[in-house]
């Protein structure tokens, strides 16, 4: 059988100011090997060469559960069962559960009295669904589909500046204790103007609202509106990474290195991190039709494991979501999934307030000495 040759992937363009190391030419790999350190949930199919005549192999990728009946897969390739017997995470898909989650989130206030709201920064590649998630969450609280955070469809980041969105309840109600912060996307085909220094400056609370990022003008003390002494209300209290399930296997390899470097520096600031897996409906037709299938479909479980490998975090920190995109009406099951994601985020955001609550040693006692 003629060996498959790996394509040379374009280096990931998101840079922290360091020149990328020279990559040695990859060694040829045997057939049925998809990539280094990657075990794809897709099934690789290939024509078997005749012993008398060599034929060019043209591999194709097929989602489990949607395999054609002919030709049959080679015996050495095991096709996973497309559906699990039961949900691998407990979920209750009811109007009562939706109402309970809305009440919990609406009434949330940071456990530390010095903080009035939990500020969550969304970080992810261009087009991963950060802005769509913000709009989807606000839609649930509004009771109708709205696009509060402007969403684009181009390959470059539609968001160009730091924007903070207070999640409001129904009309007449006070804002919730949650603020979702949107920022320019990581990488893509062109430089986005975002650097590690800028990201850490946002998390530390130095970057003013509405600041537009530029690769030739990094954030510094001379930046207009620069917050020299940020308070607790200016800082980021949790970071939520956002990745697109339909692109997990096609993201540049350098993105994994970027995520790990980011996570290391963010952890050094004692900031908890979670992750959102978006576009689950794009990889699973059954979930697209019925979102209650999300924790019963093996393809989604596999992609969550892939997301964990990409981010370098346990899947216990990762939650799948389906953002509202083409829909005009809300769906109670999708609302529950979105609200569970928000509740998941708030749990880790509140850990920051618990860890940074001022230590009271009690009133001073005058011993008269």
């Amino acid at each position: 059988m003629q060996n498959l040759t790996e394509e040379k992937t374009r280096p990931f363009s998101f840079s922290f100011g360091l020149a990328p190391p020279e990559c040695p030419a990859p060694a040829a790999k045997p057939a049925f090997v998809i990539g280094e350190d990657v075990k794809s949930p897709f099934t690789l199919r290939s024509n078997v060469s005749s012993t008398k005549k060599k034929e060019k192999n043209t591999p194709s990728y097929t989602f489990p559960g949607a395999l054609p009946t002919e030709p049959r897969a080679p015996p050495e390739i095991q096709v996973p069962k497309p559906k699990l017997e039961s949900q691998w995470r407990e979920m209750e898909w009811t109007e009562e559960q939706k109402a309970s989650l809305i009440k919990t989130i609406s009434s949330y206030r940071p456990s530390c009295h010095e903080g009035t709201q939990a500020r969550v920064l969304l970080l992810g590649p261009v087009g991963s669904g950060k802005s769509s998630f913000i709009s989807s969450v606000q839609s649930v609280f509004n009771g109708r589909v709205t696009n509060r955070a402007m969403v684009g469809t181009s390959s470059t980041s539609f968001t160009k500046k730091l924007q903070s969105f207070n999640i409001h309840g129904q009309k007449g109600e006070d804002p919730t204790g949650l603020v979702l912060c949107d920022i320019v996307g990581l990488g893509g085909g062109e430089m986005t103007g975002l650097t590690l220094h800028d990201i850490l400056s946002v998390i530390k609370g130095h970057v003013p609202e509405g600041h537009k990022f530029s690769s030739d003008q990094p954030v510094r003390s001379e930046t207009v509106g620069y917050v020299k002494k940020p308070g607790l209300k200016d800082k980021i209290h949790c970071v939520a990474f956002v990745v697109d399930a339909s692109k997990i296997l096609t993201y540049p390899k350098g993105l994994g290195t970027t995520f790990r470097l980011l996570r290391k520096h963010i952890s050094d600031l004692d900031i908890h991190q979670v992750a959102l897996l978006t576009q689950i409906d794009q990889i699973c037709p059954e979930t697209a039709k019925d979102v209650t299938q999300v924790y019963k479909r093996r393809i989604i479980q596999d992609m969550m494991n892939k997301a964990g490998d990409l981010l370098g975090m346990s899947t216990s920190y990762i939650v799948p979501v389906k953002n509202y995109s083409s829909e005009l009406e809300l769906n109670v099951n999708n609302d529950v999934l979105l609200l569970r994601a928000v509740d998941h985020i708030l749990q880790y955001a509140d850990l920051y307030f618990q860890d940074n609550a001022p230590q009271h040693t009690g009133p001073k006692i005058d011993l008269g000495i």
Side-chain angles (χ1 to χ4, degrees):
M1 179 181 292
Q2 184 177 350
N3 292 337
L4 299 178
T5 305
E6 292 187 353
E7 295 182 357
K8 295 182 179 179
T9 57
R10 182 177 180 180
F12 189 61
S13 62
F14 177 61
S15 172
F16 295 140
L18 300 176
E22 292 295 330
C23 298
K29 293 183 179 290
F32 300 115
V33 175
I34 297 177
E36 184 177 0
D37 297 329
V38 176
K39 295 181 179 179
S40 173
F42 303 106
T43 302
L44 178 61
R45 317 192 90 206
S46 177
N47 297 326
V48 180
S49 303
S50 170
T51 55
K52 296 182 179 180
K53 180 180 179 181
K54 293 185 179 180
E55 297 179 355
K56 184 177 181 180
N57 295 318
T58 305
S60 61
Y61 297 86
T62 309
F63 282 108
L67 292 174
T69 55
E70 293 295 336
R72 297 177 61 86
E76 66 272 19
I77 299 179
Q78 299 297 321
V79 179
K81 294 181 180 179
K83 187 176 181 179
L84 303 173
E85 293 182 1
S86 60
Q87 295 185 123
W88 57 277
R89 279 183 181 170
E90 289 297 324
M91 289 287 291
E92 183 181 341
W93 308 96
T94 63
E95 286 280 4
E96 291 76 16
Q97 176 69 357
K98 174 183 173 180
S100 176
L101 286 167
I102 287 180
K103 182 179 179 180
T104 298
I105 296 168
S106 297
S107 61
Y108 168 79
R109 293 297 180 269
S111 56
C112 174
H113 295 298
E114 293 185 6
T116 57
Q117 291 178 305
R119 289 173 55 82
V120 178
L121 178 64
L122 303 181
L123 276 179
V126 172
S128 57
K130 305 186 307 303
S131 300
S132 293
F133 176 73
I134 294 172
S135 291
S136 297
V137 171
Q138 187 60 75
S139 294
V140 177
F141 282 90
N142 284 350
R144 60 188 177 87
V145 177
T146 57
N147 290 313
R148 188 177 178 199
M150 299 185 70
V151 180
T153 57
S154 65
S155 59
T156 57
S157 182
F158 193 81
T159 304
K160 302 295 183 183
K161 57 187 179 181
L162 174 63
Q163 293 179 285
S164 301
F165 295 89
N166 289 280
I167 302 303
H168 293 271
Q170 298 286 347
K171 290 183 178 180
E173 295 182 1
D174 294 332
T176 68
L178 172 67
V179 177
L180 295 177
C181 302
D182 201 5
I183 198 174
V184 62
L186 305 178
E190 301 175 3
M191 290 296 294
T192 63
L194 194 63
T195 64
L196 173 62
H197 169 77
D198 288 345
I199 294 173
L200 297 180
S201 295
V202 170
I203 293 173
K204 293 176 183 178
H206 293 301
V207 181
E209 179 71 14
H211 174 77
K212 191 171 183 178
F213 297 93
S214 173
S215 57
D216 57 353
Q217 293 182 344
V219 176
R220 52 187 179 180
S221 58
E222 293 79 14
T223 297
V224 177
Y226 184 86
V227 182
K228 294 184 178 180
K229 295 182 178 180
L232 191 63
K233 65 180 180 61
D234 303 307
K235 299 178 180 180
I236 295 297
H237 310 121
C238 179
V239 171
F241 290 101
V242 185
V243 291
D244 184 337
S246 67
K247 299 178 181 176
I248 288 290
L249 298 180
T250 59
Y251 278 138
K253 288 185 178 180
L255 183 59
T257 303
T258 296
F259 277 136
R260 282 171 171 77
L261 183 59
L262 277 170
R263 294 199 62 233
K264 177 183 181 301
H265 285 275
I266 294 171
S267 296
D268 288 343
L269 297 176
D270 296 324
I271 306 295
H272 294 276
Q273 302 144 57
V274 297
L276 305 174
L277 183 68
T278 63
Q279 301 285 17
I280 55 173
D281 52 315
Q282 296 298 313
I283 65 169
C284 181
E286 289 78 11
T287 301
K289 297 176 185 176
D290 180 8
V291 77
T292 65
Q293 297 294 308
V294 62
Y295 288 121
K296 292 182 179 180
R297 295 292 163 176
R298 191 177 298 276
I299 181 63
I300 294 181
Q301 186 180 41
D302 289 343
M303 283 302 172
M304 287 186 66
N305 289 329
K306 291 296 179 186
D309 293 339
L310 179 70
L311 294 162
M313 65 167 57
S314 167
T315 54
S316 62
Y317 295 100
I318 306 172
V319 289
V321 294
K322 180 182 180 296
N323 293 330
Y324 285 110
S325 54
S326 60
E327 300 88 349
L328 296 179
E329 301 292 336
L330 297 178
N331 175 279
V332 61
N333 294 327
N334 198 44
D335 292 349
V336 168
L337 193 64
L338 286 163
L339 290 169
R340 282 290 295 267
V342 173
D343 184 61
H344 179 75
I345 290 171
L346 284 176
Q347 290 181 37
Y348 284 94
D350 202 63
L351 289 177
Y352 177 90
F353 295 108
Q354 295 178 33
D355 295 340
N356 292 273
Q359 300 296 319
H360 298 290
T361 56
K364 294 182 179 179
I365 301 176
D366 187 358
L367 300 178
I369 299 177

